Amino acid sequence: MSSVTTEAYEVYRDSWGIPHLRASDPLRLAYAQGRVTAQDRAWQLEVERHRAQGSSASFLGADCVDWDRFARRARLDDTARRCHEALAADDPETAAWLRAYVDGVNDGLAEGAARDDRFARTGHSPAPWEPWVPLSVWIGTHILFAGFATKLWRERAGRALGDAAATLFATDAPGTAGSNGWLVPGDRTATGAAIIAGDPHRFIEDPGVYQQIRLSCPEYDVLGLAVPGVPGLAHFGHTGSAAWAITNAMADYQDLYVERLRPAADGEGLEALGPDGAWEPVARHTETITVAGAPDVEVEVLETARGPIVVDAADTGGSGSQDQTLSLRYPPRVRRDLGFAVLPALLRARTVADIDRALDCWAEPVNVVHAADSEGGLLHRVAGAVPLRDAANRLRPVPAWESRHAWQGWADTPAEPVQGFAVMANARGIASPLGVEFAPPHRADRIRELLSGSKDWSPQAMADVHGDTYLASAAPLLALLPALEGLSPAGRALRERLLAWDRHMAADSTDATVFSAFRAATVRRFAADPVFAGLAGAPAGPAVFHPWLYLLPRVGYALEGLLATGLLPDLDRVAHVRAALEETAAAAAPDTPWSEVHRLAPWQALPGPDAEDDWPGLGGDHDCVNATSSVPGFTDRFARASAARYVWDLADREASLWAVPLGADGVPGSPHHRDQLPHWARCALVPVVTDWSRLTKESA
C-alpha cells in the first residue's frame, strides 16, 4: 500500500495527451508523476529498469546478454543502491520525495502493463520497484554518455598508427549524445524577455526518451521534459518565471585503468597491483543472467580499488587495447552521489540565482546549462562532477599501479557571462578545460549566424533555426574537386553539379542525395586504404563497445579531419576522392529526394510489425543544426536525431513551444503514441498549454 493516497491529485490532458498533474503538496505530486508515467509508459519503465539491473535478457532474449553482462560488470544497479543509501542518510526529504514517485510507479504498473500487448508477447510481468530504481535508470541511461569507450578506440588507433595518431579521429563520434541550445536575451526578442531554445540529440527510441509533462502544486507549477523513470525535470523545465536547458558538455570524467591481476597469495581469490606497489584484494563474485529461450549465462564480477572490471583480457583473445584487463572509475561510484537533491530544488526555482545554486550540487552527467528568468537574469555555466587527475587519464587507459594516475579531487565548473546571445552545441568553448574531444564547430557557428540575422526573435521563428539543413562540413571534400584532373565526361558533370549545390541537406534536395553517395564512396575508399589496415579487422572485446571500435564509422565521422591531417603522408586523398567521384558518376543513380533515402530507424526493445517505410524521411545530416545522424559509408538511414525540441518564452510561458519525435503515450496504437511524429519530422512545434480550463480532466 503506498504512503500517498490516490485521491490527493488530479490528472488533466491537453489535446496531445500530455499529462498536466495537480496535487496538494510535492509528495503527492511526485506520486502522481510516478503513477501516470507507469500508466502511460509501463513497457519503457520496465525495459529501462531491467537494462540498468542487467536483467533485460530475461524477457527480451539473447540479443540483450551483451548489455546485461556490461551492466552487471560495471555494477550499475549496485552503484544506484549505494547512492540511494547516501541520499537517504544525508537528505531524507529528497529520499522521501523519490520514494513517493516510486510508490506511484508501483501503483500504476499493473494498469500500464494491461494497456500494452508487449507484456503478453514476452510473458513479462512487472515486479515492484525498489526505492533506488530511478537512480539506477539514470545511471543506465548515462553510463556511456561521456564516451569512455573512445579511450579504447584511441588505444587501438595509437597502436596501429603511432601515438601521435591517437586523437586523429577526434570528432563527434557515433555513440556520443550531442545537443543544440541557444539563449537569446530580451534585447534581441520581440517581447523584451529572453527565449531559450534547442534540442537534445540522442538515439531515437520508441517510446521516446523524453516525456512532456507538467507538475503543479501550491509550492510550484513547472512544465518540461522528464526522463521516464526519474522524478522531476532534470534537463529542461519552465517554472513560469525561470527556465533552464542543457547540452552535453563533452567533459571527460570516466577513466579506464589497466589492471595487473594475480591469484591471491593464500590461494583464495585475486589481487590487483595498486599504486603504492602493494597487491590489493579484488572483490569477486558470480552472477547469473537469465535468458529467455536460451540457457542462463554466468558472469564473473570483479572490482579493484579503482572500480569494476569492464574489459577482461581473458574474454578477448587480444586485439588492440583489448588484450588488457580494464577497470572503470566513474564519479557516482566514487562519490556515492548522483546529484538527485538538485531535482526538487529545480522545481522550486523562481530565478536564475535559484537554478545556479541548485546546480552547484549536480553530479552526473556533466552538462552545459542555459537559464533565464523573467527579471532579465541569464546563466551560462557547466554543472557536474569532473575529477582532477593526470592529463594522460583523459586520452587512453592508464596503468593502475602508477600513483600519478590517481584522482586528486574535483574540478571547478566554468561559467561565463552571456554577451549578445549564448550558444551551446557540444563544440569547444566554455567546457574546453574539462574535455578532450568536442563536436566540430559547424552547428554552433551556424546557429550564431542565424541568430545574428534578427533582433526581434519570437518563439515561432525558432522553428527555422531548429530545421536548418546547411552542411558546412561538406566544404573540405568539395574543395578538392576543382583541381581533379583526367575526369570522365560523367565525372566532370557530377563535379559541376556538386560545386553548384547550395550545401543544404534539404528533405526535397536531390543534390543532397548525390553528395551523400559521393561522400559514402569516399569514406569506403579511405577505410580500405592500406594505411588503416591495422584498424580494419572486426573489434574484439565486449560487444557493447563495438560501435566505438569499427573503422568505417570512425572514418565517416572524421572525414573532414582526415582530409586535412598531416599525420598520414601515405594516404592519397586526391586519388581516393577522384575514384569516389567517378564511382558515383558511373552509378548513374536516378535523382531521388534526400528524404526518400534518409529515413528514421528508431530503436525498439521489442520491434513491432512496422516496415522500414512506416517511418518518415527527413532533411538534415550529422553536422547540420537539424542533426539527423546516419553513418556515412554505411547507411543513409539514421537513428540519432532530436529527441525533443523546445522553445521556452520568459515573457509568456503559454507562448512556449515543444515537440517530441513520437508522442506522449508509450503504448503502440494509442491515439497519442505517434501523433507528434509528422510535426517533429518537419521541425514544427506544438503549443504549450497552461490554462487549466483548456485541459481535459481525466476520469477515474
Side-chain angles (χ1 to χ4, degrees), residues 3-48:
S3 58
V4 181
T5 62
T6 60
E7 293 80 10
Y9 69 90
E10 299 172 324
V11 181
Y12 293 76
R13 304 271 183 176
D14 64 16
S15 60
W16 299 97
I18 296 168
H20 294 242
L21 310 179
R22 188 158 62 179
S24 57
D25 60 59
L27 286 182
R28 288 172 172 82
L29 187 57
Y31 173 90
Q33 185 183 5
R35 182 160 187 168
V36 167
T37 301
Q39 291 166 337
D40 288 356
R41 295 170 178 250
W43 175 256
Q44 181 180 22
L45 294 185
E46 281 296 279
V47 168
E48 295 304 322

Side-chain angles (χ1 to χ4, degrees), residues 23 163 167 292 320 346 397 410 423 472 483 519 541 548 556 566 607 656 658:
D163 287 344
T167 59
L346 285 175
W410 303 94
V423 175
R519 179 180 59 184
W548 283 264
S656 299
W658 55 1

Side-chain angles (χ1 to χ4, degrees), residues 526-553:
F526 270 49
D529 190 283
V531 73
F532 296 126
L535 298 170
V544 71
F545 302 134
H546 287 183
W548 283 264
L549 299 175
Y550 279 108
L551 175 63
L552 186 65

